[in-house]
Amino acid sequence: MKAVQFSDHGDRSVIDYGEFPDPTPDRDEVLVDVKAGALNHLDVWTRKGLPGVELEMPHVPGSDGAGVVLEVGEDVTRFEPGDRVAVSAGVYCGKCEYCRHGEYSMCVNYHIIGEHVRGVHSERAAVPEDNLVEVPSGVEWETAAAAPLVFQTAWRMLLTRGNVSPGEDVLVLGASGGVGHAAVQIADYAGANVYATASSEEKLEYAEEVGADYTIDYEAEDFASRIRDLTGKRGVDVVVDHVGAATWRDSLASLAKGGRVLTCGATTGGTPETDINRIFWNQLKVIGSTMANPGEVDDVLELVWDGTFEPRIRETLPMSETARAHEMLEEREGFGKVVVVPDSEYDG
């Protein structure tokens, strides 16, 4: 089969699309004929190399994918050949203290398909049964591939960890990205007043289309100052900041007293300067979140499948152009998710 792969960490030139050994499913795995995959910013970090993460090389990236079941291992009970499935990339042990209490995304052995182990951006992939969800027949492959990681992440971050409630003011940074555009929709679904930042008029218009009430071009004006103006100097109740170092101090400055900042990532760096005085004086809360538990995945994907939430697709490319897909993420081009499909499936 053919697969996206790299044998060394580095810039986009290390990405190749070529022959790779066919996967053989283990007893608890399902062999999937991949119809589409989608990129996340973690694919960029994985390619560049993550501290403390040793990968088997060559590495196949990709945490999001969807396709048709070809074969199942002898212990698999939930799927059979012909089923339509999508990947939910979080792998947990099921045995540690957090798993025993149902907090699977806090598992001490937690890892992510595509980031820590072989991913699914290939013509076929062997995936653990527990990491697959059923995809209804009316859902397009691009939607099924693009939704799971970002929507489950935003759902848990806002509703479970952040406890966003109707009438609250929520600021979503980087609303044009995968997690960002999912967070805008989920905050709107929760009944919040949604403020969103992006870097162009086109992106801001898209943010409004998916649920933002107020938009801010962060390249044209200081978003913290603008939030103060829009809220009568009060600030917002919640900031969704997956950007990190470049925005952290302004995120804290955008919060009302007793507000909370929610974070699930740091695309511009994970060690920002911070304002501890502001945190304790304004009694702010910093809340971290990673991926989601299986029940949360089911809840949010049901709302994707029925059309309540819409994963926006900025572009669909053949897997042989995955380097270009990485460029789109790194250069912040477009709104929503970038999808890649096996060249044998690509119809232009």
Side-chain angles (χ1 to χ4, degrees):
M1 71 167 186
K2 287 190 174 181
V4 179
Q5 56 195 285
F6 54 82
S7 296
D8 295 291
H9 295 296
D11 61 21
R12 295 188 292 269
S13 66
V14 303
I15 301 170
D16 184 34
Y17 182 66
E19 292 299 324
F20 197 87
D22 285 346
T24 301
D26 288 339
R27 297 174 62 98
D28 64 345
E29 290 184 329
V30 172
L31 183 63
V32 179
D33 179 17
V34 177
K35 300 298 183 182
L39 274 77
N40 300 281
H41 212 92
L42 65 84
D43 291 303
V44 173
W45 290 114
T46 301
R47 185 201 81 219
K48 292 180 176 180
L50 290 164
V53 177
E54 296 291 334
L55 297 175
E56 180 182 351
M57 296 292 190
H59 178 70
V60 175
S63 303
D64 271 329
V68 178
V69 174
L70 291 175
E71 180 184 340
V72 300
E74 54 190 284
D75 293 340
V76 172
T77 60
R78 294 174 48 232
F79 300 103
E80 59 185 26
D83 286 348
R84 293 163 52 91
V85 295
V87 176
S88 179
V91 182
Y92 49 86
C93 71
K95 300 175 182 179
C96 70
E97 61 175 303
Y98 300 102
C99 288
R100 291 198 302 271
H101 289 92
E103 288 291 356
Y104 298 100
S105 69
M106 297 174 69
C107 172
V108 298
N109 299 303
Y110 198 82
H111 59 279
I112 298 174
I113 292 171
E115 183 176 5
H116 303 95
V117 296
R118 182 177 299 168
V120 297
H121 287 175
S122 51
E123 290 183 317
R124 289 175 290 282
V127 181
E129 176 183 28
D130 289 343
N131 290 99
L132 292 172
V133 295
E134 183 179 355
V135 176
S137 59
V139 177
E140 295 183 356
W141 289 122
E142 289 84 353
T143 297
L149 191 146
V150 295
F151 275 89
Q152 69 172 279
T153 298
W155 181 269
R156 176 174 174 83
M157 179 170 50
L158 272 79
L159 300 189
T160 303
R161 300 284 292 150
N163 196 30
V164 169
S165 58
E168 288 195 303
D169 292 333
V170 176
L171 168 62
V172 179
L173 304 186
S176 64
V179 170
H181 92 297
V184 167
Q185 295 180 60
I186 292 168
D188 179 56
Y189 175 81
N193 304 308
V194 184
Y195 301 76
T197 73
S199 60
S200 71
E201 188 62 34
E202 181 183 22
K203 292 178 182 179
L204 294 174
E205 289 175 1
Y206 278 126
E208 290 179 351
E209 286 182 12
V210 299
D213 300 295
Y214 308 92
T215 58
I216 302 168
D217 183 341
Y218 66 79
E219 291 194 341
E221 56 186 334
D222 177 78
F223 73 81
S225 297
R226 183 59 177 152
I227 284 294
R228 290 288 169 181
D229 292 340
L230 290 170
T231 60
K233 298 185 179 180
R234 175 184 180 273
V236 296
D237 300 289
V238 175
V239 175
V240 176
D241 187 338
H242 53 94
V243 181
T247 56
W248 191 254
R249 290 180 67 93
D250 283 338
S251 290
L252 297 179
S254 300
L255 286 169
K257 283 183 175 290
R260 51 211 191 272
V261 59
L262 311 178
T263 178
C264 65
T267 56
T268 62
T271 55
E273 290 187 10
T274 195
D275 189 343
I276 296 175
N277 292 344
R278 185 184 294 274
I279 292 173
F280 68 70
W281 187 252
N282 287 345
Q283 301 187 49
L284 306 179
K285 297 178 181 178
V286 177
I287 301 173
S289 187
T290 300
M291 303 290 280
N293 297 328
E296 294 162 334
V297 174
D298 292 340
D299 288 345
V300 70
L301 289 184
E302 182 177 344
L303 294 170
V304 174
W305 304 153
D306 72 11
T308 300
F309 297 143
E310 177 191 359
R312 286 292 179 97
I313 310 299
R314 66 179 86 172
E315 191 159 349
T316 299
L317 298 169
M319 286 187 178
S320 58
E321 296 182 19
T322 295
R324 168 61 182 146
H326 278 236
E327 181 182 24
M328 294 184 72
L329 267 64
E330 291 181 281
E331 299 300 324
R332 305 194 311 275
E333 297 179 31
F335 186 96
K337 296 277 285 184
V338 181
V339 171
V340 292
V341 301
D343 284 37
S344 57
E345 300 281 346
Y346 185 70
D347 60 9

